[in-house]
Structure formats: structure tokens, C-alpha cells
Amino acid sequence: MRLSAFYLPTLKEDPAEAEVVSHKLMLRAGMIRKLTSGIYIYLPMGLRVLSKVADIVRQEMNRAGAQELLMPSVQPADLWRESGRWDDYGKELLRFTDRHDRDYCLGPTHEEVITDLVRGEVRSYRQLPVNLYQIQNKFRDEIRPRFGLMRGREFLMKDGYSFDKDEEGANTSYQGMYDAYVRIFSRLGLRFRPVEADSGSIGGSFSHEFMVLAETGEDTIAVCSSCDYAANLEKAVVAYPEVGDIPACPECETVNTPGAHTVDEVATFLKVEPKAILKTLLFDVDGEPVAALVRGDRELNDVKLKNALDAQNVTLADPEQVKAWTGAPVGFAGPVGLKVKKVIADVELRQNNSWIAGANAADAHIRNLDLNRDASVDVYADLRNITESDPCPKCGQSLELTKGIEVGHVFKLGLKYSKAMNATFLDENGKEQFMIMGCYGIGVSRVIAAAIEQNFDENGIYFPPPIAPFEVALLLLSPKDEAAREKAYELSDLIESTGADCIVDDRDERPGVKFKDADLVGYPLQLVLGGKGLAKGVIEAKDRRTGEKTELSLDDFVAAFTAWRDQIRSGWETR
Ligand code: ATP
Ligand code: MG
């Protein structure tokens, strides 16, 4: 390919609209342009990357036995009414009506459509399992579209769905997709971890998120320093030692704490550490008042709370509810004499007593509170976020909290959609059964942003070779020199004959511009053809990631090039 005939509008300055590196670099490198909030045009260079990512995903899905189909983006509301999500999905679902006043939405995901398809075709256990996927644009009216392709409103997703006749089959399908994902993200050249994620009512380890490790990630994950344990915050279980002997707690007493609302204010006022305080958080749980207790220095995890209560909707109480349930303004709630339906406490609170907690009266707290003696706790559960000082729940060694970008998700759905939409089959005994489903997503466009977040320097991107827009760039320093030009095109053909794609920068531009653009766009292998080298019979070669330079002989070019390329490719794999 010749760059002189390629549409590559690069930008010298950082665009003001972009906050994160990947977004800035994709705009500067002429890969994407914004059409409107969260909606992007892929320019030719960006589309090449997108297609390469999609191809790798497709190859591995096919290899794992899944089959590709293509479903429409426009979906009838009736299917969503059947599943119950027309009401539940909220504002991320973009809804509209046609000229006949019929309701539709733009698909944010395709469980309804695929379940409708399969229930109409599959009658017998003999037709199962079925595993279908597509690579298709999704639309989600995200509340805060941001970071370019990272969180768009329209974005490219690979979504797959499996249908099985029994648990064993469903688990095999799940594992098959999990394994395919490990291969996909390895082939894409990413540093990633599959992490256990919350699987809600299904339970067990049947939800994994695939996280690309990058500081700009929106998710926090707990990763063990010595074993393979990795989990996101809502799933990472805090492990505690056995409860030892706890000294007796003196009588409790009320103390005045004028104006001290927050844990820190109370701790400062009473000259104690925040961990001596009991934090009482009030929630509206499916319409009922519930108090959740955690140690003052801890963070409550909403998903853990929701699961522990087996609840649908958990929302923090508003000041009026707080007033009604505690008789006090916000900041003075405590478990003693509280008018709530249920009190749930973090298991850690069993490890100690003599707490300080709100007295359910303005400007007052209670000291020497013994939860067993002075209050009544209905349930103890793991409610708080894990920290770096907690041990790994699997092996007991130390944990690290890191940031990740979710690029994929495998999830066992169970009977959620098959029950709601009546997707059944006849089993071996002629009995009607619901199909057991799984769903498997990859954010194909988000992968590009994640790859860049992991691989950039002050000059631009360095793409992993498998997804670079071109693996090789050949910079022709004197495009007006006819012989050099011919040589460049000839070398480019030779390079392509070895199975690497190559772009020749034959534009009428200064060498400096070419070097800058090549580093910005991030071709991992760069060759520079200049007059001096040509005379000496060599071409200069640079590894974009390490900056290492070498010379390749023009006499035996194919052999020299192939050896150099293979060395760079394997450098990426063992990085
Ligand atoms: P998130 O928590 O980031 O909103 P999600 O749980 O809504 O993700 P899924 O419904 O599991 O995501 O979608 C499958 C994959 O699609 C995700 O793993 C992610 O890589 C990608 N994805 C989801 N939302 C977006 C978006 N707004 N822009 C780009 N990619 C997205
Ligand atoms: Mg989402």
C-alpha cells in the first residue's frame, strides 16, 4: 500500500476533546473522528485495526465451534416486553416508533432476538447445543459516553449465545468460551487477566470479566501476588481469622458530638481512630428500610449488599427517610433502637466490640457499644471492599489492587431468558425443559482503546503486531529519486509475500514528518530507505516498541527481514 494514496489526516496538536491517551492518539493518528457524542467514524487506518481485531475474534470463535450469524440492530419492543426488559433496561435503551406507531429499540445486546430465533427452531434435545455469535454494532445511550472508543454509545461488539439441554452441557459451553477468550486476548497481544465477576442469582464462578491491565481502567480488581486469583471488587471475598477472645465491653454511654457527622469528624472529635467507629448506612431495599454496618475505615460494596440481601433494588436512603427511620438528621444513625426492617453487619464486626456509633439523635453518639448486647443484628455477611492489607482468599498471600479495562465478559445466564420467553425443548424422555443459556461479549472497538492504553510512549502508539494497521512501514526518504522509489515498492512486495502487510511512505514530505507520523500511528516494524543505505546495500530497521535499530541486507532481504520480524513478534509475546 502507498501512503501517497492513503487517506491519513494526522494532527500535530493534542485535540482538546480528548481526556485519555488512547482517545487523543487515535484522533491524532487519523484513526477516528467524532460524529457526535459517543459516536465515531472509523477512518481507513482505524478501520484496518478494527477489522484485524474482529478477524482474530472470529477465527477463535469459529475454532471453538461457535457459528457466526448477523442480527438486525432494530428490534421490536414486543420481544423486550416478553423478557421484562422493556421496563427494566432504563434509559440506555434507545426507543423509537415507526410510522405505524409501533415501538422499537436499537439493540444494546441481543438476548431477546436470539432467544426468539432459537425457540422457533429448536424442538428436541438432539438439536442442542447451539452456539451462535455475531460481530455487530450496538447502541447504548450511555449516561456519560467518554474516552473515545472506550465508552461509546455506538460501538462494535462480538456477542455470542449458547443454548444447552442440561447443566453439564451449559458448563462445558461456558468453559469453551472462556478458553476461546484466553486465546483471543493472547493473540491480540494484550496483557490481561480473567477475573471472577459477580454472577448475581446464578452463583458459583460462572461470570468472568476479561480485564486489560491499564492504569486508566475504570474497574478496580484484586490480583494475588503469588497465585492465579483475580476478582473484581464485588466478588473478592474478604477472609478473616477465627474470632479470638474479645475483652468485655464496659457499659455503653451517650456522648455529645456536636456537628460531627462523618466518621472522620467523629474520630477527630473523640480522639479515636476511624476503625473504632461503626458506620451505619441506611438503604431502601425493595421498598423496606435496611441498616448496613461496616467498620468506620471501610467501604461498603453495594453489589455485595444486594446479593447478601437477595434484593432487586438497593438505594441509599434520602435525608427524609433517614430522619423518619432514625429520628435524627443524616450522620447520627446507629444500630441501637433503630426502626428498620433488617440490620445487616459486615462479618468483620464480629472481630471486636466496644464500638462508637450514632445514637439516633442529633449531635450524639454512643460509646462502648457491644453489638450482641446492645443491638440486634439480623445477618452477618461479607459487605465491604477488599483492600491490599487483606490476604488472598485463595492462598493467603498478599493482594494487589490494580486497574483494569473490561474488554470481555462470559456469563452463564441459566434460565433467565428461556423461562421469560418460553424457550423449551423436549428432552430424552419427551419432557418439556427450558434451555440453559450463556452469553459472551467482547468489546471489539474497546479493545483498540485498551491496546493503546497499554502500549504508547511520548511519540505515539506502538501497536501489538497482530492488530497494527500495517505491521511494517517503509519510509522512503527521497520519493523523487526514481530508483529508490522503485526499490521501495519492490521491497514492499517482498515484505507482503512473507505474510506481513506494509505501507510505503512515498509522500512528498520531509523525512522528519515521516518519522513522526510513523511513530504516532504506531507501526511496530519500521524500515527507512535512504540514499546512503541504498549505496551500501542495506536498509535501516527500527523496532517501534523498544526503539532498537539494526540494518538489514538488501542482498538477501527476505531472509534478513523475516528473521528480524520474527524476533520482534516473539519479543511481544514474551514481554
Ligand atoms: P461496562 O461495565 O463497561 O458498562 P457492560 O457490563 O455494560 O460493560 P456487557 O454488557 O457485558 O458490558 O458488554 C460486553 C462488552 O462490551 C464489555 O465487556 C465491553 O468490553 C463492551 N462494552 C460495553 N459497553 C460499552 C461501551 N459503551 N462502549 C464500548 N464498549 C462497550
Ligand atoms: Mg454498561
Side-chain angles (χ1 to χ4, degrees):
M1 187 73 72
R2 299 172 187 195
L3 196 52
S4 56
F6 199 95
Y7 188 67
L8 179 65
T10 57
L11 309 173
K12 285 203 187 65
E13 304 296 328
D14 271 347
E17 65 182 274
E19 293 163 68
V20 294
V21 164
S22 54
H23 188 193
K24 275 185 200 154
L25 289 175
M26 289 193 78
L27 288 166
R28 284 192 51 206
M31 297 196 172
I32 54 169
R33 289 292 180 262
K34 177 161 122 181
L35 178 63
T36 180
S37 170
I39 302 182
Y40 290 86
I41 296 166
Y42 295 89
L43 300 183
M45 212 47 103
L47 183 60
R48 288 183 70 90
V49 181
L50 190 73
S51 308
K52 286 192 181 184
V53 175
D55 281 348
I56 290 175
V57 171
R58 179 176 285 120
Q59 284 163 18
E60 293 299 334
M61 289 300 292
N62 293 346
R63 182 137 83 111
Q67 282 170 66
E68 187 170 6
L69 82 174
L70 184 59
M71 293 180 270
S73 348
V74 173
Q75 307 184 9
D78 285 347
L79 286 181
W80 286 72
R81 292 198 176 100
E82 255 192 84
S83 72
R85 289 209 289 185
W86 188 253
D87 293 327
D88 291 351
Y89 208 92
K91 292 198 163 177
E92 264 185 38
L93 189 65
L94 184 69
R95 303 152 206 251
F96 55 95
T97 44
D98 70 5
R99 64 168 78 201
H100 306 294
D101 268 346
R102 282 183 293 240
D103 294 325
Y104 291 87
C105 65
L106 272 188
T109 174
H110 280 67
E111 281 83 4
E112 282 79 2
V113 176
I114 197 93
T115 307
D116 181 53
L117 174 84
V118 172
R119 72 176 169 184
E121 322 271 344
V122 171
R123 296 269 167 266
S124 149
Y125 70 95
R126 285 195 210 87
Q127 293 162 280
L128 294 172
V130 168
N131 190 342
L132 298 166
Y133 76 96
Q134 63 175 345
I135 297 177
Q136 188 245 20
N137 265 1
K138 296 285 177 272
F139 193 93
R140 294 184 182 178
D141 202 355
E142 297 274 356
I143 185 164
R144 279 187 70 204
R146 59 200 168 132
F147 306 155
L149 298 190
M150 197 81 88
R151 185 168 297 282
R153 294 201 295 164
E154 184 171 317
F155 58 97
L156 191 63
M157 197 201 281
K158 185 287 294 178
D159 49 323
Y161 307 88
S162 64
F163 296 80
D164 277 276
K165 65 183 166 86
D166 53 23
E167 286 296 330
E168 197 192 334
N171 298 352
T172 307
S173 295
Y174 184 88
Q175 191 60 42
M177 289 295 104
Y178 179 101
D179 295 341
Y181 276 37
V182 171
R183 283 196 300 272
I184 288 170
F185 294 114
S186 306
R187 277 189 62 190
L188 292 171
L190 300 170
R191 272 179 286 122
F192 70 96
R193 287 292 276 259
V195 307
E196 283 180 31
D198 174 49
S199 49
S201 56
I202 301 281
S205 37
F206 285 114
S207 172
H208 286 87
E209 286 168 357
F210 285 73
M211 296 281 187
V212 162
L213 307 177
E215 269 158 36
T216 43
E218 288 182 292
D219 295 285
T220 304
I221 52 180
V223 179
C224 180
S225 54
S226 55
C227 77
D228 63 354
Y229 181 82
N232 71 18
L233 279 190
E234 50 257 35
K235 183 77 185 183
V237 188
V238 183
Y240 294 103
E242 293 275 299
V243 180
D245 283 339
I246 299 171
C249 178
E251 290 255 307
C252 63
E253 56 179 6
T254 306
V255 285
N256 273 332
T257 51
H261 302 261
T262 65
V263 167
D264 285 341
E265 286 164 358
V266 177
T268 311
F269 185 81
L270 295 176
K271 299 193 176 55
V272 294
E273 295 207 39
K275 70 176 188 191
I277 295 171
L278 248 185
K279 195 155 51 173
T280 305
L281 298 152
L282 297 167
F283 292 91
D284 181 325
V285 177
D286 297 332
E288 307 265 19
V290 169
L293 314 178
V294 290
R295 219 171 75 178
D297 58 334
R298 303 300 196 191
E299 275 171 39
L300 179 101
N301 185 292
D302 296 4
V303 179
K304 283 187 172 179
L305 177 67
K306 186 170 167 223
N307 289 343
L309 295 168
D310 200 9
Q312 292 299 318
N313 288 305
V314 174
T315 42
L316 200 60
D318 60 38
E320 263 151 46
Q321 288 172 310
V322 172
K323 184 104 217 249
W325 302 341
T326 67
V330 173
F332 301 98
V336 181
L338 195 58
K339 291 195 202 75
V340 292
K341 183 88 183 172
K342 202 176 231 179
V343 176
I344 182 167
D346 185 55
V347 276
E348 182 173 31
L349 303 181
R350 282 205 168 118
Q351 306 269 331
N352 212 341
N353 66 12
S354 303
W355 301 103
I356 293 165
N360 299 320
D363 297 334
H365 278 76
I366 289 179
R367 212 198 314 250
N368 299 331
L369 178 98
D370 182 326
L371 274 181
N372 292 326
R373 181 189 66 193
D374 307 318
S376 68
V377 172
D378 298 288
V379 212
Y380 282 91
D382 173 27
L383 295 183
R384 71 165 170 93
N385 281 339
I386 204 161
T387 69
E388 289 194 333
S389 30
D390 292 306
C392 165
K394 195 165 163 189
C395 76
Q397 295 300 305
S398 65
L399 276 181
E400 203 190 320
L401 294 185
T402 55
K403 293 280 180 191
I405 301 168
E406 181 194 324
V407 287
H409 192 181
V410 291
F411 193 90
K412 189 167 162 191
L413 288 167
L415 304 181
K416 183 170 176 193
Y417 294 93
S418 41
K419 259 192 178 159
M421 298 181 64
N422 204 32
T424 60
F425 66 98
L426 295 178
D427 71 9
E428 286 90 332
N429 306 314
K431 205 173 147 226
E432 194 168 30
Q433 304 277 6
F434 291 112
M435 299 177 206
I436 306 179
M437 290 175 60
C439 68
Y440 316 98
I442 291 182
V444 176
S445 44
R446 184 182 281 183
V447 160
I448 307 177
I452 296 172
E453 292 293 333
Q454 238 179 27
N455 302 293
F456 69 91
D457 60 18
E458 65 282 8
N459 299 320
I461 306 167
Y462 44 97
F463 267 111
I467 60 169
F470 291 91
E471 189 174 5
V472 189
L474 199 165
L475 314 186
L476 172 61
L477 297 190
S478 45
K480 293 207 168 104
D481 174 343
E482 206 49 49
R485 214 183 160 78
E486 283 317 310
K487 188 70 189 170
Y489 296 149
E490 183 197 318
L491 292 174
S492 171
D493 287 346
L494 288 175
I495 289 166
E496 301 224 318
S497 74
T498 72
D501 49 3
C502 177
I503 187 149
V504 180
D505 191 347
D506 56 351
R507 293 174 303 173
D508 185 14
E509 290 283 0
R510 283 178 294 114
V513 172
K514 299 190 176 186
F515 292 128
K516 274 217 167 72
D517 275 359
D519 279 358
L520 174 63
V521 177
Y523 315 104
L525 280 64
Q526 299 178 10
L527 298 173
V528 182
L529 190 67
K532 268 193 232 149
L534 252 183
K536 263 183 20 189
V538 295
I539 185 165
E540 244 180 65
K542 182 174 101 173
D543 176 343
R544 169 68 181 93
R545 181 173 67 91
T546 62
E548 242 168 75
K549 287 185 181 163
T550 180
E551 284 184 344
L552 305 179
S553 152
L554 289 175
D555 283 345
D556 197 4
F557 179 73
V558 169
F561 169 78
T562 313
W564 176 66
R565 180 201 64 193
D566 290 350
Q567 182 200 326
I568 293 180
R569 283 185 182 174
S570 67
W572 268 93
E573 278 155 24
T574 55
R575 156 183 72 115

